[in-house]
Amino acid sequence: MEFVERHLKTLDEIRDAISTLAVRGAPAIGVAAAIGLVVSLLPFENEAGVLFRARLQTHAGILGAARPTAVNLPWAMARMSARAGANPVASSAELLTLLREEATNILDEDRAMCESIGAHGLPFIPDGTRVLTHCNAGALATAGIGTALAPVYVAQREGRRVSVFANETRPLLQGSRLTAWELGRAGIPVTILTDGMAASLMRAHEIDVVLVGADRVAANGDTANKIGTYAVAVAAKHHGIPFYVCAPWSTIDRATASGDAIAIEQRSADEVRFAGGTAVAPAGANARNPAFDVTPAGLITGVITDKGVYRAPYSFTYEMRSRD
Ligand code: MRU
């Protein structure tokens, strides 16, 4: 495994990095799109205000549509547009300053939300907990310490022993490539499972709790996350194992009533037919590749957010505090 930093400058580069999953994970793509929007507008600093505002909307529309399922992308673009809209007489240069400030806020808030999810999730990770996770909802998916992995990192900081089973997550292997990599670097014991193994480990009493991330949590608690999450939730329910979704407030979509209304990204069948460039299926074999599935709220023990832990029946509201 190699850690490579990519420096993106143009709108096309930023959009492609999101759609090809060079940057992925719901919070990370929201943050990347916000910063990317600013970067893509830098060459136009001296453009007339009205043209610059039209360009801003075009770029935000393109970045916001780079992937359909994670609500963080349109959420971040809406915040950026609103910031510009609230300053109707600002010049292009002034707008760029405001947009840079808003993107920085989104970045900083994401870091803080991760820490807060970690704190709210800590009670579910007593000493010796064996966690199962699916996909990668860690530092590589956010600006901070992750969502599903945040309680794990905080538990480690607190001196608790915690170990993680990481589903490899076919077809793009975010579990084995990313989760195993980042937890290994952090010195947290991690064991990779192929996606079909989790149920039998649950049956053997080897898993204490499931923590997964989310790309969109609907108003009724139905949750879209990486394909395979639903099967893990069904197995956890069957074995009486708590199943928690960990998500920042930016992933809660109160405007979407239920999981039925969530658009599921369909990706190329070649991602299934090939692994790391090597064919793993007969040429031209039919294959499906939905990137996400929906776990119904009834299978979810609770949603751990930065504002607290929510349980059914879900109503995602919170008391405003001065810094919210
Ligand atoms: O296709 P990906 O890799 O972007 O899918 C990511 C996931 O499904 C994550 O679990 C989710 O975005 C939460 S990341 C904190």
Side-chain angles (χ1 to χ4, degrees), residues 131-134 165-168 192-210 228-241 243:
V131 175
L132 172 73
T133 193
H134 188 75
F165 289 107
N167 276 350
E168 67 172 350
I192 298 165
L193 306 178
T194 63
D195 291 356
M197 291 178 186
S200 66
L201 266 81
M202 290 179 184
R203 185 160 182 260
H205 306 286
E206 291 195 50
I207 290 165
D208 301 307
V209 64
V210 179
T229 303
Y230 175 40
V232 174
V234 170
K237 183 81 166 180
H238 181 75
H239 293 96
I241 295 168
F243 178 98

Side-chain angles (χ1 to χ4, degrees), residues 232-259:
V232 174
V234 170
K237 183 81 166 180
H238 181 75
H239 293 96
I241 295 168
F243 178 98
Y244 288 100
V245 168
C246 304
W249 205 249
S250 51
T251 304
I252 311 290
D253 180 11
R254 288 180 290 174
T256 294
S258 78

